Amino acid sequence: MLVNEHPLRRALHNEVHARPPEPMTAPLAISHVVMLADLDARQASRAHLATLLRDHHLPVPDEHVNHLRVDMGAWRLRWELHTEFVTWTFMADAPMGLPKGEDYDLALRSLPQAWLKDLPGECLSHIQLWAKLTQDLSDRDELHQQFREDSLVVCQLAEGAATLHTDFQINPNGCSRFLLRVGQLTQRRLGRLVQRLLEIETYRMMALLGLPIARSAVPALAAAEQELADLAQAIRSASHEQEAELLDRLTRLAGQVESLYASQHSRFSASKAYFELVDRRIKDIRETRLPGFQSIGEFMDRRLSPARSTCDWVARRQTALSERVSRMSNLLRTRVDFQQEQSSQALLTAMNKRQGLQLKLQTTVEGLSVAAITYYIAGLVHYMAEGLQAKGLVADPSIATAVAVPFIALVIWWITRRLHFKLLTTE
């Protein structure tokens, strides 16, 4: 045992073994139901499964199980919990011979019908697959009467070991029918083939969920693009006073575009991933085209390409529009910032001019202050001279005051300049 094992080591290691194929033996009737489910519906699906197991006196799996295979005797169940949907696959042994229309739901006849009708979620796909032994095509005309000729798909799979017949249509009973004529295939190989066929239809439907969203987004994108074009034209001839209003309109448009992108981008990304899974599963079944019939790859390429292109086109259009709005916003903000910088520069120039005027005014005031202080100090000196005259120390107070005035003014001016120099040095 390794020391300090990573807590996710075993979960990551077992991921390659998750949802293994079900070993199957023909003849076999299969009903595959795909329920689109949100978080609540996925939890309800787990509870719905537990109810079925308890009714059949079987143990209930814990809440972390996302895949379960159960043998009920007359029929078998395969349950899988995915990120966006839940699949229920019901299997039952079928009789020999060519199935009739009412035979395809054989796997559902033994189920509790009330329980079956209450499957949580919304049914996105319901496939009934009949795996029949032998590849004899002598009954081909009778077989093809069960499918629509305009969308009939007939091809050999697994390097010629099986032949598929289907039309990818929803029948009046709400199901799509697949007939698989099986030759020399082992149980596990047949299980892998059936699983890939069911996944092709499941992932095809999941991928197409992006198509209605793409179609609904086209008018909003067209309106946003027209608004952006109008704003671009208005910005070219806008005055400085109009730029703030244009920037506000552009900001609101950016919010609308980003909201549309955020609400739909995840769906388009998921659709792209599902389309890629469809391509991969078609490649895995290694089909061979039969003369006069279309293969699954040809059918999907012709029928799915427009939907895939629409989703990709809308996704690219959203991205391009978001980038254009961002560039336009940056350009307009740069223009507004430049105007603001020019206004700030003019304001600084005016402030410097006012500061020079204030300095000149301050110098004038300082000169007046020197004169005023000199006047008051000279008055004090005059009083002192009069007092000294009474003692006989000064002959004439006026002459003494007149002599002292230049010295007083010089000292006051020197002190004022000294204080002014200290203040400037401190700043």
Side-chain angles (χ1 to χ4, degrees), residues 147-164:
F147 304 100
R148 292 182 54 174
E149 188 68 25
D150 57 346
S151 59
L152 179 62
V153 172
V154 182
C155 60
Q156 290 184 337
L157 309 178
E159 300 174 345
T163 303
L164 175 69

Side-chain angles (χ1 to χ4, degrees), residues 248-262 325:
D248 179 68
R249 288 177 56 189
L250 192 57
T251 302
R252 284 188 281 109
L253 177 61
Q256 295 174 4
V257 172
E258 291 303 320
S259 176
L260 187 67
Y261 180 87
V325 171

Side-chain angles (χ1 to χ4, degrees), residues 47-314:
H48 203 61
L49 173 66
T51 300
L52 178 67
L53 296 178
R54 282 193 292 265
D55 291 343
H56 287 77
H57 308 288
L58 295 174
V60 176
D62 59 49
E63 60 181 8
H64 301 293
V65 172
N66 296 327
H67 168 264
L68 184 67
R69 294 185 295 182
V70 181
D71 190 345
M72 300 291 187
W75 54 279
R76 298 182 296 281
L77 167 65
R78 179 186 177 95
W79 175 82
E80 295 182 15
L81 184 65
H82 296 261
T83 304
E84 295 186 285
F85 59 92
V86 180
T87 60
W88 305 80
T89 306
F90 308 97
M91 294 162 282
D93 294 334
M96 301 292 293
L98 187 66
K100 304 298 182 181
E102 63 274 8
D103 295 334
Y104 280 88
D105 63 351
L106 177 64
L108 302 179
R109 295 176 184 175
S110 300
L111 271 70
Q113 297 302 307
W115 177 88
L116 182 61
K117 292 180 180 179
D118 293 335
L119 288 180
E122 299 175 321
C123 182
L124 186 65
S125 177
H126 186 180
I127 306 168
Q128 291 180 338
L129 187 148
W130 190 284
K132 176 182 179 297
L133 288 173
T134 186
Q135 295 206 95
D136 181 15
L137 299 180
S138 60
D139 54 356
R140 185 175 63 182
D141 294 337
E142 179 184 358
L143 171 63
H144 290 173
Q145 293 177 2
Q146 301 182 12
F147 304 100
R148 292 182 54 174
E149 188 68 25
D150 57 346
S151 59
L152 179 62
V153 172
V154 182
C155 60
Q156 290 184 337
L157 309 178
E159 300 174 345
T163 303
L164 175 69
H165 304 258
T166 185
D167 55 6
F168 291 102
Q169 296 285 346
I170 297 179
N171 295 309
N173 62 351
C175 306
S176 299
R177 292 176 180 173
F178 287 19
L179 178 62
L180 188 64
R181 306 168 73 96
V182 180
Q184 298 297 322
L185 282 177
T186 64
Q187 293 182 359
R188 293 196 175 277
R189 193 179 180 190
L190 177 59
R192 288 193 298 270
L193 179 60
V194 169
Q195 179 175 334
R196 288 164 181 166
L197 289 173
L198 297 178
E199 287 178 347
I200 288 174
E201 185 67 2
T202 300
Y203 294 144
R204 176 180 76 91
M205 295 299 296
M206 291 299 301
L208 289 174
L209 284 177
L211 182 59
I213 296 177
R215 289 172 175 170
S216 64
V218 171
L221 286 174
E225 289 172 344
Q226 183 60 45
E227 175 70 10
L228 182 61
D230 295 341
L231 282 170
Q233 184 65 28
I235 289 172
R236 293 179 57 186
S237 58
S239 62
H240 177 62
E241 291 75 15
Q242 295 173 325
E243 289 177 349
E245 179 184 355
L246 292 176
L247 183 59
D248 179 68
R249 288 177 56 189
L250 192 57
T251 302
R252 284 188 281 109
L253 177 61
Q256 295 174 4
V257 172
E258 291 303 320
S259 176
L260 187 67
Y261 180 87
S263 62
Q264 299 176 353
H265 179 70
S266 60
R267 185 71 267 162
F268 292 148
S269 298
S271 292
K272 182 179 180 180
Y274 285 128
F275 278 124
E276 292 175 354
L277 286 173
V278 171
D279 295 339
R280 193 175 307 164
R281 293 299 181 268
I282 293 176
K283 182 179 179 181
D284 290 342
I285 61 177
R286 297 193 299 278
E287 62 177 344
T288 303
R289 185 179 182 275
L290 292 177
F293 298 99
Q294 58 184 338
S295 64
I296 296 179
E298 293 172 339
F299 178 85
M300 292 296 179
D301 183 64
R302 185 172 63 256
R303 302 297 179 92
L304 281 187
S305 292
R308 177 185 294 191
S309 299
T310 300
C311 293
D312 291 343
W313 171 69
V314 172

Side-chain angles (χ1 to χ4, degrees), residues 399-413:
I399 296 175
T401 302
V403 173
V405 167
F407 295 100
I408 295 172
L410 182 61
V411 171
I412 297 301
W413 176 83

